[in-house]
Amino acid sequence: MRRRANRAVLGVAIVALLLWSVLLAVVAQGKFGGDPRGFLFLGETLYHPDTFAGIPRCGRYGYDGQFYAALATDPLLRSPDTLKALDAPGYRASRILVPMLAWCAALGNARGAIVAYQVISWTLSVLAVVVVALWLRDDKRSPWWSLALVANAGLVTAIFRSTQDGAAVFLIVATLWLAWRHAHGRALGAGSAANLCRETGYLATLAVGLHEFLARRYHRALLYVLVPLVPQLAWQAYLQVTWHPNLRFPASVSIPLVALAGKVAAVVAARQGLLSQELWGTLGACLTVVAGLAVAFGRKRLEPPRLVFIAFAALAVFLAPRAYADVYGFSRHLLPAPLLAVVLAAREESPPVRILLISVVAAFSVAGLLMIAGDLRPWIVGPWPR
């Protein structure tokens, strides 16, 4: 049985890797003349360091991945050109993990670090699906269920836009899985890395810390709460000494429910039909909120993966209009929710709650498939509504 489960995990990894390798190659050829660096979505009107010369531009402002790729060329922020290339230097530089890894992998070569940043981001995005498969295997569930996540809208954005969100969700799920397996040293390492990758990564170790505290394992609880803060605080101290960045409140958070209600109203008014990625993505966000409430009232709500799922369901309520501008934005903010929903659905005792959790995964996956279809439009006959 164990051998069969291991083969299933390997099968999931192979399918996910092959699928995304083919998609990246095909879309790069169709949109960027075969240059995969085009997935960085460099803005035409923004400043870019000289190392970005020759990379295709895309739109006036591009997308977030371009800023982290710029950081990868100079993660210690020694050049004024790096600061000029960042829209919000203090905010972007706080998410230093993947740019720093890329710079190290390229041995300090700036042009090589740009490619390394993309490869690391893509690889960890695929591994996010694999770690869910491993968790299902260890929980004596079928790892094949994790294949439903391969086309998840948040992962599609992370890969096709070269953002760090796939890496962040990999580290979040890995932290929770390792803690569930009682591999606490590795869980602390993954959680510390998650906090350096994206600030919401701290939710994983915070949830485990709360669980340990309630179990009266106070020493371990304190480690989970404090240890992941150490590298982030050390990095922030370096930034303050180096160039004194201004701190700001995240623009993606706002008054609860206002933006989500506005998004629902806009989707209903647009009447785009069932082939609208915005419809399915918005449905996924709404189902996440409902599922989060159902999990919050459940008997095992204080288990770490359930706590983190509830936290991201709450985030869906607080996201700002800017985040809900399109499915590319809010699907990556909420990316941990569908990945954890697969794990939670596999062990959920209540059939209605299980259906809700599965519906979250299904809605975001349909949105992701439609997003992929949009990028493959040159090979698809007929118009495809966005």
Side-chain angles (χ1 to χ4, degrees):
M1 182 67 72
R2 179 75 175 187
R3 186 177 299 175
R4 182 182 301 174
N6 287 336
R7 285 200 297 265
V9 172
L10 180 61
V12 169
I14 292 172
V15 170
L17 181 61
L18 287 177
L19 175 65
W20 276 110
S21 296
V22 171
L23 285 173
L24 285 169
V26 170
V27 175
Q29 186 62 42
K31 294 182 72 170
F32 308 116
D35 188 345
R37 296 177 303 170
F39 288 113
L40 290 169
F41 278 73
L42 303 185
E44 296 171 349
T45 61
L46 302 183
Y47 173 82
H48 302 290
D50 294 339
T51 50
F52 284 81
I55 299 177
R57 270 47 175 173
C58 190
R60 292 184 63 191
Y61 303 110
Y63 211 74
D64 290 5
Q66 63 186 322
F67 305 120
Y68 300 110
L71 267 175
T73 66
D74 177 30
L76 297 177
L77 301 163
R78 293 170 175 169
S79 170
D81 284 351
T82 306
L83 297 179
K84 287 175 62 179
L86 304 180
D87 61 337
Y91 174 67
R92 301 297 181 187
S94 66
R95 301 173 174 181
I96 196 59
L97 179 74
V98 177
M100 184 67 78
L101 289 177
W103 183 75
C104 292
L107 302 178
N109 180 278
R111 290 188 182 275
I114 295 170
V115 177
Y117 165 77
Q118 289 185 282
V119 172
I120 292 172
S121 299
W122 294 336
T123 301
L124 294 181
S125 295
V126 171
L127 287 178
V129 177
V130 176
V131 77
V132 172
L134 288 168
W135 198 340
L136 293 173
R137 178 205 65 185
D138 291 347
D139 205 19
K140 295 181 172 55
R141 315 290 178 177
S142 173
W144 292 112
W145 286 107
S146 61
L147 280 179
L149 299 166
V150 173
N152 179 272
L155 280 180
V156 172
T157 304
I159 294 175
F160 276 162
R161 300 293 187 270
S162 297
T163 69
Q164 301 190 92
D165 303 280
V169 76
F170 162 72
L171 291 166
I172 288 172
V173 178
T175 300
L176 296 169
W177 170 57
L178 291 167
W180 177 78
R181 295 185 65 206
H182 305 290
H184 296 292
R186 284 179 287 171
L188 278 169
S192 299
N195 195 29
L196 280 173
C197 188
R198 190 180 174 93
E199 56 279 359
T200 50
Y202 184 58
L203 290 171
T205 52
L206 198 59
V208 178
L210 176 60
H211 182 264
E212 295 297 318
F213 178 82
L214 294 174
R216 299 185 178 181
R217 294 185 284 266
Y218 302 120
H219 176 71
R220 190 180 294 162
L222 201 61
L223 288 175
Y224 271 106
V225 172
L226 296 181
V227 168
L229 294 177
V230 173
Q232 181 61 257
L233 290 175
W235 176 245
Q236 290 297 331
Y238 172 81
L239 293 180
Q240 290 294 331
V241 169
T242 304
W243 54 278
H244 309 293
N246 294 322
L247 300 178
R248 70 172 194 174
F249 189 77
S252 56
V253 178
S254 184
I255 301 171
L257 283 177
V258 171
L260 179 56
K263 181 66 177 180
V264 171
V267 167
V268 171
R271 298 181 182 180
Q272 293 179 321
L274 293 178
L275 293 181
S276 166
Q277 62 195 38
E278 297 297 330
L279 168 66
W280 287 100
T282 304
L283 178 61
C286 292
L287 287 170
T288 298
V289 174
V290 177
L293 286 171
V295 172
F297 284 104
R299 185 167 55 87
K300 300 179 180 179
R301 58 184 174 274
L302 294 180
E303 291 179 347
R306 295 177 187 272
L307 284 172
V308 176
F309 181 84
I310 293 167
F312 279 94
L315 179 61
V317 174
F318 281 89
L319 282 179
R322 176 179 178 179
Y324 277 114
D326 57 39
V327 68
Y328 293 96
F330 66 84
S331 66
R332 61 192 183 91
H333 282 292
L334 304 178
L335 180 52
L339 273 77
L340 291 174
V342 171
V343 175
L344 297 180
R347 63 173 67 167
E348 180 56 51
E349 298 171 356
S350 168
V353 177
R354 187 185 308 120
I355 291 171
L356 266 176
L357 291 166
I358 293 172
S359 298
V360 170
V361 179
F364 277 119
S365 292
V366 172
L369 288 170
L370 292 170
M371 292 159 72
I372 292 170
D375 280 306
L376 294 175
R377 191 178 299 181
W379 292 270
I380 297 175
V381 179
W384 204 273
R386 301 292 287 182

